Amino acid sequence: MFSRSLQWRLVFIIVAITFVLMSVVWVFLNYKVEDIFYNDFKKSISDNYATLNINEQMTSEELLIRFKEDPVILSQFISSIKSYTLIKDETFEILYSSDIWYLEDEIGFRNEILKSRNLMVVISGEGEGKGKYLTKTAKGDFYDYVIRQTLVDGDYILFFKYDRSQALSIISEFSQVIISGMIIAVAVTIAIGVLLSKTITKPIVDIIHKAENITSGDFGQVLEVKSDDEIGKLTRTFNYMESQLKNMLLELSNEKNKFEMIINYMTDGIIAFNRDGFIIHINSAALSVLEMEQCSLTFSGIMQRLGLNHDLSDILKNKNFADISENVRIKDKFFRVQFASFTDKENNVEGLITVLQDYTEEQKLDNMRKEFVANVSHELKTPLTSIKSYAETLLDGALEDEEIARNFLEVIYSESNRMDRLVKDLLLLSKHDSGIKLNLTRISPINLVNSVVSRMRMSADEKNQQLSVIELDKAPDINGDEDRLEQLLFNVIGNAVKYTPENGTIVVYVGKNDTSAYIKVVDTGIGIPRKDLDRIFERFYRVDKARSRQMGGTGLGLSIASEIAKSHGGTIKAESEPNNGTTITIILPGIIEEIQEQ
Ligand code: ADP
C-alpha cells in the first residue's frame, strides 16, 4: 500500500530530501566546528610566538620565563585542553610541560606525544611540524603544533597540544540539537507532505473514482476544477473526455435502439447467429414465423423447424452462401430463407444472419393472376365456342332455313353481347388496377339512388318485383364520380333483381352513419351461403356458375363494385342468409363541411 499510493510516495520523497539535507548540514557543521577550533589553536600560537620575541641568544630558562609570564599563554595554554611542552632536542628530555597529564604521568605522556606525526617530522628534521594531524591516544585525541627553536644552550622543541575533547563535546551538543531538529523537521515535513500531497493526490483519486464509476456506466456529476495547474487541466480534460464519451455512448445507444427498432418492426424475420450457432438476436417477426415467444434454439434447431437441413459450418465454408435461397412453407404461409454473414474489424466471419421473407401475398397474387388468366380464357372460350359452332352450322347449310338461321344468329348475337360485356368489365377492372382518374363532383346519394332505381324499375317490373327506395336520414353529399357510382349501384341493385325470384321485394335504404353516407340494398332473394360470403367480391367468383351465366352475369360485377367503392375511400360488405335474402351495404365518406353547416 505504501509504495502503491502516490500520496505516501510523495511524503516519503519529501521526508527523504529533508533528512538528506539535514544530514549534509550536520556533517558540514561537525567538520566546520572542528576546523574553527583547530584554526583558533594554530593562530593563537603563530600570532603569539612572534610577539614573545624568542631568539637564539636566549637560554631555555629565559624562554620558559617568557612563556610563563605571557598573559595569552597563561590564560590559554595552561589548561586541560591546551598545553605547551618544552623538549630538549638532543635527549628528548621534557624540560617543562603545562599539561595536566604530564603532571600525573610523565612517562605515559612522553610516550603518547611521541605518536605525533608533527613531532616526529620535526625531530627527524624532515619538515615543519605544522600539519593538521590527529593523534589518537588512550586519554583522548589531540592536534599539535611543533616549533623547533635554537637557543644559546642548545636546540629545543616547543610542543603545543590541543585536546580535541572540547570540540567533540560541542559537536555532540550540536548533534543533539540537530537530531532533535531533524526529528521535528521530519515530523513537520510528514505533516506538510501529507497535506501537500493530498492537494495533488485528492483530485487524482477523485478522477480514479469517477473513471471507475464511468466504467460501470454511472456518469453522474462533473468533477470540480479546483486549480489552474496541471491537475486542474487534467480534471478539465477528464470532464471534457467524459462529456464526449457520454455523447458518444448516447449516440451509440440511440443508433442501437434505432437499429433494434428497425429490426423489430421489420416484416421480414431476422435471426443472427454467432459462429457456434447460438442466437444473438431474433426479431419479433422471426419469433412469430417460428410460432414461439422466446427462442433458445440453435442454428440446427431453427433449420429443423423450417424443414431445411443446412449445416452452419458448411454454409460458412461456402463462399457463395449469400446466393442460397430456400422456399419453405409453414402452415398456409410461404417464406423465402436467405443467408448473409457479418464480420469483425479484421474481416473474419463473426456469424450468420438468416432472413425469413414472407412471400405469401406474392404467392397469392401469383395464384390469382394465373387463376384470372384461366378464368378469362374460360369465360371467353364458352361464348366463342358456341359462336363458332353456330356459324359453322349456318355455313353448312342451315342458312337456307330462315327460321333456324334467325335462331342461330340470335344465339350468336347474344353470345357476342356476353363477350362484349365481359371485355368491357375486364377493361374497367384493368383501369381500376392501373389507378383510375375519377371525375369528382358533389353528389347527393339519394338522387343517385333514385336515378339508378328508376332505370332498373323495368327489369324489376318484368319479374313482378317490388323495388323501392327509403331515405332513413338525410345522407351527407359525397364527392364522387357519378358514372362510376352509378355503375356500382347498377351492379349491386342488378344482382338483387337477378338473384331475387319473381314477386320478391328489393328495398334500397339511404342514410347516414356518422359523417358517411350509406346505401343498403336489401332483397328477399336466394341468398348466399356463409362459406361464399367472403369471396363474392373476388373476380370471377360465382356461387352458382350456371345460374350466373344464365342470368347473363360475368362474375365481375361485385369486384367492380368493390373497386369503385375503394377508389372513393368507401367500403362494401355483404350479409346474407340462404333463401332469406341478401343485404349489400355500401359506405361512402361524406363531405364534412356540409355536415358542419347543417
Ligand atoms: P355475376 O355477374 O355472376 O352476378 P357478381 O360479381 O355480380 O357476378 O356476383 C358474384 C356472385 O355473388 C354471383 O354469381 C352470385 O352468386 C352472388 N350474388 C351477388 N349478389 C347476390 C344477391 N343479391 N343474392 C344472391 N347472390 C348474389
Side-chain angles (χ1 to χ4, degrees):
M1 174 241 165
F2 211 72
S3 61
R4 280 209 198 148
S5 144
L6 179 62
Q7 185 184 356
W8 287 111
R9 237 187 287 171
L10 282 173
V11 170
F12 179 75
I13 290 168
I14 295 170
V15 170
I17 290 171
T18 317
F19 186 76
V20 169
L21 275 180
M22 296 285 286
S23 305
V24 169
V25 169
W26 188 38
V27 170
F28 182 75
L29 269 179
N30 277 359
Y31 173 78
K32 201 68 199 164
V33 165
E34 192 143 17
D35 211 37
I36 287 167
F37 276 94
Y38 175 77
N39 285 340
D40 182 53
F41 160 71
K42 203 170 151 181
K43 195 164 176 288
S44 68
I45 298 166
S46 53
D47 287 357
N48 250 303
Y49 200 73
T51 54
L52 281 172
N53 237 344
I54 308 289
N55 54 56
E56 291 178 4
Q57 274 77 45
M58 287 175 85
T59 61
S60 56
E61 267 173 40
E62 280 170 339
L63 180 139
L64 273 174
I65 291 165
R66 281 267 169 96
F67 262 70
K68 283 175 185 165
E69 282 171 358
D70 184 72
V72 178
I73 299 220
L74 266 176
S75 68
Q76 285 190 14
F77 282 86
I78 306 174
S79 71
S80 56
I81 296 154
K82 289 182 196 164
S83 67
Y84 67 92
T85 306
L86 184 68
I87 304 165
K88 189 150 176 72
D89 188 22
E90 282 167 8
T91 56
F92 203 70
E93 177 195 354
I94 296 174
L95 296 182
Y96 176 80
S97 178
S98 65
D99 207 293
I100 296 169
W101 189 6
Y102 173 73
L103 298 175
E104 286 167 0
D105 176 11
E106 253 181 65
I107 299 161
F109 175 72
R110 190 168 171 273
N111 287 340
E112 287 302 328
I113 63 169
L114 273 173
K115 287 180 184 168
S116 157
R117 198 165 150 186
N118 280 333
L119 188 61
M120 294 320 286
V121 166
V122 172
I123 289 170
S124 60
E126 280 168 9
E128 293 193 320
K130 297 182 175 60
K132 187 186 174 189
Y133 302 118
L134 187 68
T135 309
K136 299 195 174 203
T137 72
K139 293 208 172 182
D141 308 339
F142 64 82
Y143 288 103
D144 50 38
Y145 189 88
V146 182
I147 300 170
R148 172 186 281 278
Q149 183 66 53
T150 310
L151 296 173
V152 182
D153 48 358
D155 274 356
Y156 290 88
I157 291 165
L158 275 159
F159 181 78
F160 296 91
K161 174 168 159 278
Y162 157 62
D163 204 324
R164 194 172 162 239
S165 61
Q166 188 193 19
L168 281 182
S169 73
I170 288 175
I171 284 170
S172 99
E173 255 173 62
F174 259 134
S175 299
Q176 269 170 22
V177 170
I178 283 174
I179 285 169
S180 33
M182 214 186 260
I183 291 168
I184 293 168
V186 166
V188 171
T189 340
I190 288 176
I192 293 174
V194 168
L195 290 176
L196 204 74
S197 62
K198 240 189 184 169
T199 60
I200 299 169
T201 53
K202 169 87 174 37
I204 296 177
V205 170
D206 285 351
I207 291 175
I208 292 170
H209 284 315
K210 185 83 190 172
E212 279 167 358
N213 287 347
I214 289 174
T215 327
S216 54
D218 171 21
F219 281 89
Q221 300 263 305
V222 291
L223 290 171
E224 193 189 337
V225 180
K226 287 181 185 145
S227 57
D228 221 13
D229 54 10
E230 284 82 352
I231 299 273
K233 275 183 201 150
L234 176 69
T235 315
R236 211 170 288 133
T237 317
F238 188 85
N239 281 341
Y240 177 69
M241 187 200 78
E242 186 210 345
S243 77
Q244 292 291 97
L245 199 70
K246 207 166 157 183
N247 288 343
M248 244 155 69
L249 273 180
L250 204 73
E251 231 169 82
L252 268 177
S253 82
N254 281 349
E255 280 300 310
K256 191 173 164 266
N257 283 349
K258 225 192 289 171
F259 182 69
E260 273 181 6
M261 283 284 258
I262 293 171
I263 297 266
N264 275 340
Y265 284 96
M266 259 174 88
T267 46
D268 289 347
I270 306 261
I271 314 171
F273 300 95
N274 64 13
R275 282 198 70 96
D276 302 323
F278 290 107
I279 292 180
I280 46 180
H281 193 88
I282 179 162
N283 71 351
S284 39
L287 283 172
S288 74
V289 170
L290 298 168
E291 292 178 325
M292 295 172 103
E293 284 196 354
Q294 266 183 341
C295 188
S296 53
L297 293 175
T298 56
F299 181 80
S300 53
I302 299 272
M303 288 299 114
Q304 219 172 4
R305 217 175 165 99
L306 293 174
L308 297 171
N309 57 357
H310 284 299
D311 187 63
L312 182 63
S313 51
D314 285 350
I315 291 191
L316 291 176
K317 262 185 242 154
N318 184 350
K319 281 209 172 92
N320 302 320
F321 65 76
D323 299 337
I324 304 174
S325 173
E326 299 276 4
N327 292 340
V328 296
R329 186 178 174 165
I330 299 174
K331 293 194 175 157
D332 55 347
K333 295 211 160 199
F334 297 88
F335 296 96
R336 195 168 293 128
V337 186
Q338 277 169 315
F339 303 97
S341 68
F342 57 95
T343 55
D344 63 8
K345 269 194 248 157
E346 275 90 41
N347 235 11
N348 300 319
V349 176
E350 280 263 281
L352 188 78
I353 293 175
T354 307
V355 183
L356 306 168
Q357 210 175 4
D358 184 346
Y359 72 101
T360 314
E361 214 46 43
E362 215 178 301
Q363 181 83 3
K364 226 189 213 168
L365 282 174
D366 198 44
N367 287 346
M368 269 168 74
R369 190 181 50 80
K370 284 182 192 153
E371 214 176 296
F372 184 74
V373 173
N375 277 331
V376 170
S377 325
H378 181 75
E379 291 298 323
L380 285 172
K381 198 174 168 259
T382 321
L384 263 177
T385 316
S386 56
I387 288 173
K388 196 182 160 205
S389 57
Y390 279 101
E392 271 171 7
T393 321
L394 282 174
L395 287 173
D396 284 350
L399 252 179
E400 312 299 320
D401 187 332
E402 200 182 323
E403 201 181 332
I404 293 176
R406 172 164 283 278
N407 277 344
F408 279 18
L409 281 173
E410 266 171 12
V411 174
I412 291 176
Y413 178 67
S414 108
E415 289 298 305
S416 49
N417 255 347
R418 204 146 86 93
M419 277 170 61
D420 182 48
R421 270 201 312 278
L422 185 74
V423 172
K424 270 188 190 145
D425 279 356
L426 282 172
L427 278 175
L428 199 68
L429 274 175
S430 136
K431 267 190 200 164
H432 274 279
D433 287 346
S434 50
I436 195 168
K437 191 172 176 327
L438 297 174
N439 184 14
L440 297 174
T441 51
R442 192 186 189 100
I443 298 166
S444 153
I446 186 73
N447 291 348
L448 184 80
V449 168
N450 279 331
S451 137
V452 174
V453 166
S454 69
R455 276 180 277 164
M456 291 296 301
R457 196 163 297 283
M458 232 172 69
S459 322
D461 286 349
E462 273 173 16
K463 289 178 85 176
N464 210 12
Q465 292 168 332
Q466 270 195 333
L467 174 61
S468 56
V469 177
I470 298 177
E471 188 178 16
L472 292 173
D473 322 284
K474 168 95 182 65
D477 282 356
I478 49 178
N479 207 12
D481 184 323
E482 198 165 355
D483 290 345
R484 302 276 154 242
L485 291 174
E486 272 184 358
Q487 166 104 54
L488 185 161
L489 289 178
F490 265 120
N491 289 0
V492 175
I493 302 171
N495 276 352
V497 172
K498 265 197 285 181
Y499 299 108
T500 301
E502 295 200 347
N503 303 321
T505 312
I506 298 152
V507 185
V508 184
Y509 294 96
V510 180
K512 78 166 183 173
N513 190 355
D514 272 347
T515 56
S516 303
Y518 72 80
I519 300 161
K520 232 181 218 187
V521 181
V522 183
D523 65 45
T524 54
I526 57 166
I528 303 162
R530 179 160 288 276
K531 66 173 173 51
D532 300 304
L533 212 52
D534 287 340
R535 301 198 59 190
I536 54 166
F537 296 100
E538 285 176 18
R539 293 171 190 192
F540 293 113
Y541 192 84
R542 287 178 281 206
V543 177
D544 181 342
K545 279 201 170 74
R547 190 200 289 257
S548 162
R549 280 216 191 89
Q550 188 197 329
M551 304 279 186
T554 58
L556 294 173
L558 282 185
S559 51
I560 291 172
S562 158
E563 291 294 342
I564 295 173
K566 261 194 253 165
S567 66
H568 281 80
T571 56
I572 182 165
K573 67 170 190 219
E575 292 158 279
S576 180
E577 260 187 48
N579 303 321
N580 248 344
T582 305
T583 302
I584 306 278
T585 310
I586 304 141
I587 298 176
L588 296 167
I591 300 172
I592 292 171
E593 300 89 347
E594 182 71 15
I595 291 164
Q596 283 170 347
E597 274 169 32
Q598 275 176 356

